[in-house]
Amino acid sequence: MSSTANNLQSHDSNKTHPSFYTLITVFFFWGFIAAGNQVFIPFCKHYFNLDQFQSQLIDFAFYTAYYIGALVLFAYGSFGGKDLVGKWGYKKSIVYGLLFSALGAAAMIVAVEYNTFPGMLIGLFIVALGFSLQQTAAQPFAISLGDPSTGTSRVNLGGGINSFGTTIGPIVVAFALFGTTAAITDEKIASLSLSKVIVLYSGVGALFLAAAALFYFSKKVPAGVMEEKTEKANKALNTLLIMTGLLIIMFVPVFSSYKTDLTNASDAEKHALEAYRMKWLLGALAIVVIGLLMANVSARKKAEGWGAMKYPQLVLGMLAIFVYVGVEVAIGSNLSELMKQPSMGGFQSSEAAPYVAMYWGGLMIGRWAGAVSAFNLSKSRQQLLQFIVPLVAFGIIIGVITIAQYNAEPLYYYIICVIVQIIAFYISKNNPVRTLMIFGLLGIVAMIIGTQTDGRVATYAFLSGGLFCSIMWPCIFALSIAGLGKYTTQGSAFLIMMILGGGIIPPIQGKLADVVGIHQSYWIPVICFSYLAFFAIAVKGILKKQGIDYDITTAGGH
């Protein structure tokens, strides 16, 4: 470890470095922009006359950028023998990432001026590339800013701030695009001027620049330069590059079909196009799953050149992160369309904003509860706060929705779902395996209830997906890198790449929605939660065979 990192951790074994509170501003940006996309999606769908699948290309562009960004950083380290983020230092890496995201916001404005949806996708892609660099630097930086034993709790606290961004993101974006009232019809949405998007992203770009300036000129934020040489893994790199090439082959036909006009198409022509798109999307999913599993099989036969991929817990964990991000995004991205259905209340797109906010707020509720351990409190006080904090967080979300002049009354009884989550927290006892298994099973039950009911019961069931996703990222991350030793940093980079799931699984659900209807498309989350519960059970056995105590402290949050 470099002298800089040692100095950070020796600041005070019982205190967090003051610059951590500057750092968590970037956690807020990730959540604000990502959740804001969930309101931006229905706007683009109506304005550009897109089907549900086409509207999900927004998530595809955004989350694929995470994969590409992390892959480029890994490739640089593999060829150059030195981690680029470590070479620049955490501080500069975050500044560069913020500036890159500001460039993406400018690209969005240019695309809007030319009234081009593909241009907007490129702009969002660039924004997320900046996020990829920021996230690669920010999470280990947070761990280094104080006592290592409480580092993961700091990341969890950052995750709570991230979730606050996801909560207010849909509300703010809804205000920017739809105005201050909920009584806006889909026809009015389609006729809104794109100039509002220019105003929105001008503000977003200005915030990125302000945050970059805050970091750059802050004397309290250390450079965070790390000088270790990275472990080379040429076979792993070659596998990822081949997978990337195959994914591009799969995605090109999907993208080329996006302009297809189905206005006057027959039912047979529509079904043919739906089958065509689904085939290529499922092919992309198969490449990720089969490619990673084959890599691990080869690595276990001859570990040289595979680096962290020789560990089965990491490979299964990469798939778990892929599925987790995918299901988290898919539930939220399709929520606005779901709420438009007569059986779900027949809401206009703008009226769905508070429900989208509550969904993402569910992640905030769980992560705030998980952040309690970041503070030096007695066990009894921690247990008390794990009961109180989720209820307070729920009240804040209701308050935000009310201040935004939306009707929050239909969400009052959602507190029942919050109490179910609190009970699950107490049963799990901070054990990552037990937590992941319990929350995975609850996710399965909630999604099945949602698909088999309608009205408020179904609404609460689908919204509770946010509650049950809330603590999964830290559990998966902790279990996946357990026992990796010197490959821990490399394994973490591989896990960040798998945020790609947010770019593949939502379009698959969107395409299934075009075939079987938006309500029944939520069987996709059922499958995803099932894998996450399976991973919890499987990784317990894997780590036990390696002589590793799997009862490790959870933390973090995407």
Side-chain angles (χ1 to χ4, degrees), residues 11-25:
H11 167 72
D12 188 323
S13 62
N14 295 317
K15 292 183 179 180
T16 292
H17 197 286
S19 59
F20 172 70
Y21 302 105
T22 303
L23 175 64
I24 58 177
T25 58

Side-chain angles (χ1 to χ4, degrees), residues 131-301:
F131 282 7
S132 178
L133 178 55
Q134 293 167 43
Q135 186 152 154
T136 301
Q139 301 216 39
F141 197 16
I143 292 174
S144 71
L145 293 173
D147 184 356
S149 66
T150 59
T152 51
S153 295
R154 284 190 292 279
V155 181
N156 214 352
L157 183 57
I161 300 300
N162 169 275
S163 296
F164 181 66
T166 65
T167 301
I168 70 172
I171 298 295
V172 174
V173 174
F175 268 119
L177 296 181
F178 305 143
T180 59
T181 67
I184 300 178
T185 64
D186 290 337
E187 290 74 18
K188 289 183 179 180
I189 291 172
S191 65
L192 286 176
S193 171
L194 283 178
S195 61
K196 289 197 172 185
V197 181
I198 293 178
V199 173
L200 172 65
Y201 274 90
S202 295
V204 167
L207 288 174
F208 286 143
L209 293 175
L214 177 66
F215 264 86
Y216 184 78
F217 292 109
S218 176
K219 294 181 179 180
K220 290 184 178 180
V221 180
V225 175
M226 308 292 285
E227 299 180 3
E228 303 102 323
K229 288 187 176 180
T230 58
E231 291 287 337
K232 291 188 177 182
N234 293 331
K235 290 181 181 178
L237 176 61
N238 291 336
T239 297
L240 290 170
L241 290 176
I242 292 171
M243 284 175 55
T244 302
L246 293 174
L247 286 172
I248 291 172
I249 292 173
M250 294 293 168
F251 290 147
V252 166
V254 175
F255 268 104
S256 63
S257 70
Y258 122 83
K259 287 188 176 181
T260 305
D261 185 3
L262 297 176
T263 304
N264 299 316
S266 65
D267 289 341
E269 290 172 328
K270 291 179 180 178
H271 288 313
L273 180 60
E274 289 163 356
Y276 176 81
R277 288 170 171 170
M278 184 65 82
K279 176 180 67 176
W280 291 107
L281 285 169
L282 291 176
L285 180 62
I287 286 170
V288 174
V289 175
I290 296 173
L292 290 177
L293 293 179
M294 288 181 62
N296 183 248
V297 170
S298 298
R300 294 173 72 178
K301 292 179 180 178

Side-chain angles (χ1 to χ4, degrees), residues 254-501:
V254 175
F255 268 104
S256 63
S257 70
Y258 122 83
K259 287 188 176 181
T260 305
D261 185 3
L262 297 176
T263 304
N264 299 316
S266 65
D267 289 341
E269 290 172 328
K270 291 179 180 178
H271 288 313
L273 180 60
E274 289 163 356
Y276 176 81
R277 288 170 171 170
M278 184 65 82
K279 176 180 67 176
W280 291 107
L281 285 169
L282 291 176
L285 180 62
I287 286 170
V288 174
V289 175
I290 296 173
L292 290 177
L293 293 179
M294 288 181 62
N296 183 248
V297 170
S298 298
R300 294 173 72 178
K301 292 179 180 178
K302 188 175 181 181
E304 184 181 355
W306 283 103
M309 275 195 184
K310 65 185 176 184
Y311 294 94
Q313 65 265 38
L314 176 69
V315 175
L316 292 179
M318 290 171 70
L319 290 174
I321 289 290
F322 179 90
V323 168
Y324 159 72
V325 178
V327 69
E328 174 191 289
V329 176
I331 294 173
S333 295
N334 289 283
L335 199 55
S336 291
E337 183 67 20
L338 175 71
M339 300 304 294
K340 288 170 55 180
Q341 305 307 306
S343 61
M344 297 297 291
F347 297 98
Q348 300 293 332
S349 294
S350 59
E351 294 174 316
Y355 294 91
V356 176
M358 182 57 77
Y359 170 75
W360 290 106
L363 279 87
M364 182 184 82
I365 291 170
R367 290 171 181 172
W368 280 22
V372 168
S373 58
F375 304 96
N376 187 22
L377 301 171
S378 66
K379 185 176 180 181
S380 60
R381 287 187 178 181
Q382 285 191 10
Q383 290 179 338
L384 179 62
L385 285 176
Q386 282 187 331
F387 177 79
I388 295 174
V389 167
L391 299 180
V392 171
F394 174 74
I396 290 173
I397 298 166
I398 291 294
V400 169
I401 292 172
T402 302
I403 291 171
Q405 299 179 15
Y406 288 100
N407 180 18
E409 187 175 351
L411 292 167
Y412 288 169
Y413 291 105
Y414 185 65
I415 195 171
I416 296 172
C417 299
V418 176
I419 292 173
V420 170
Q421 185 203 46
I422 293 172
I423 294 171
F425 263 121
Y426 281 117
I427 295 174
S428 65
K429 298 180 180 179
N430 286 329
N431 181 305
V433 171
R434 189 183 296 120
T435 299
L436 189 58
M437 182 176 65
I438 291 173
F439 279 60
L441 292 173
L442 286 172
I444 294 170
V445 172
M447 295 301 107
I448 292 177
I449 290 174
T451 59
Q452 301 306 304
T453 59
D454 52 30
R456 188 165 296 187
V457 172
T459 299
Y460 284 4
F462 289 133
L463 290 181
S464 66
L467 292 171
F468 304 137
C469 280
S470 62
I471 203 66
M472 284 186 168
W473 170 280
C475 294
I476 297 168
F477 215 97
L479 293 168
S480 300
I481 63 175
L484 265 60
K486 65 181 180 180
Y487 297 104
T488 298
T489 300
Q490 190 180 95
S492 298
F494 289 156
L495 291 171
I496 294 296
M497 287 183 197
M498 290 298 102
I499 292 176
L500 172 69

